Amino acid sequence: LRLEPYRLVYSCYASGMKTPKDIRRETGLNMVVIDTVLRIIRELEAICGGRQGSAQGVSEELFRVLIESYRELAIQKRNRYVPLYQLRKLVMEKAGISAHEFEVLLKSFVDRYRDRVSLVPTPQYAGGVKPIDLGGRKYGFIMMTPDLGSSNA
C-alpha cells in the first residue's frame, strides 16, 4: 500500500485546494485516486466534526452530544436503559452525522468509558427493539453510570 498519493492530495487539500481539478493540476494524479482520497478526508472530518478529537479520532463535542442525548432519553423514559436505536436517531439529528459515524462514535465512547457504560446484547428484533451491530454483536440498549450520564464526564 502506497501512501504517497494520499499525502499529496492531503497536502493540497490542507493548503486550500478543494476541487479535484485543482489538485489534479498540482499533482498529476488520476481523478479516481483524488476523488477517493477526498472522500476519505471528508468522512474523517465529519466524524471528528472538524475539531480536535480524542485519541480515537472522535471529538469531545460528539462525546458531549452523546452523553446529553442519553441523559435526555433516560429522563424521558424514566429508565437508565435507553434503546440504542433511539439514541442513534437523536444523536444523528443533533450532531448531523450518519449512522456509520454514530457507530464509530459509540465504539470510541465505549472503549474510552468501558467501566462506566454497559451495552446490553439483544437478539435481532427481540420485542420490537431494533439492535445495532457493533463489532459483530447486536446490542439493543445502553446504560451509563450516574456520574457519566449526569455530567459531562
Side-chain angles (χ1 to χ4, degrees):
L1 177 68
R2 290 190 34 214
L3 294 177
E4 191 59 29
Y6 176 83
R7 289 184 184 119
L8 286 171
V9 172
Y10 183 77
S11 165
C12 290
Y13 184 82
S15 70
M17 286 185 225
K18 304 293 184 199
T19 66
K21 269 186 174 177
D22 292 341
I23 295 172
R24 185 173 193 285
R25 265 194 301 264
E26 181 70 25
T27 65
L29 291 171
N30 180 308
M31 289 296 272
V32 173
V33 171
I34 294 168
D35 184 58
T36 302
V37 173
L38 286 175
R39 287 173 191 249
I40 292 168
I41 291 169
R42 289 181 184 127
E43 185 162 332
L44 288 171
E45 284 181 341
I47 290 170
C48 296
R51 294 172 286 261
Q52 182 63 29
S54 68
Q56 294 85 11
V58 177
S59 77
E60 295 299 320
E61 178 68 15
L62 287 176
F63 282 165
R64 187 186 60 74
V65 170
L66 180 67
I67 291 169
E68 286 178 1
S69 298
Y70 167 83
R71 191 177 330 139
E72 184 179 318
L73 288 169
I75 289 169
Q76 181 183 50
K77 299 201 165 294
R78 297 180 184 168
N79 192 337
R80 287 179 39 207
Y81 289 88
V82 170
L84 273 171
Y85 75 94
Q86 290 179 347
L87 181 63
R88 176 177 60 191
K89 181 179 177 187
L90 188 58
V91 171
M92 286 170 56
E93 287 172 7
K94 286 183 173 186
I97 62 174
S98 69
H100 172 72
E101 292 165 340
F102 173 80
E103 289 171 13
V104 170
L105 167 64
L106 183 63
K107 182 171 179 1
S108 295
F109 186 78
V110 170
D111 287 347
R112 182 173 189 179
Y113 296 108
R114 128 182 15 238
D115 54 342
R116 296 162 67 189
V117 175
S118 293
L119 294 177
V120 179
T122 305
Q124 191 165 3
Y125 305 113
V129 174
K130 301 172 192 160
I132 290 180
D133 186 50
L134 194 63
R137 294 193 65 189
K138 301 219 180 282
Y139 297 96
F141 297 89
I142 184 171
M143 190 276 300
M144 296 181 192
T145 60
D147 62 313
L148 185 61
S150 65
S151 71
N152 284 346

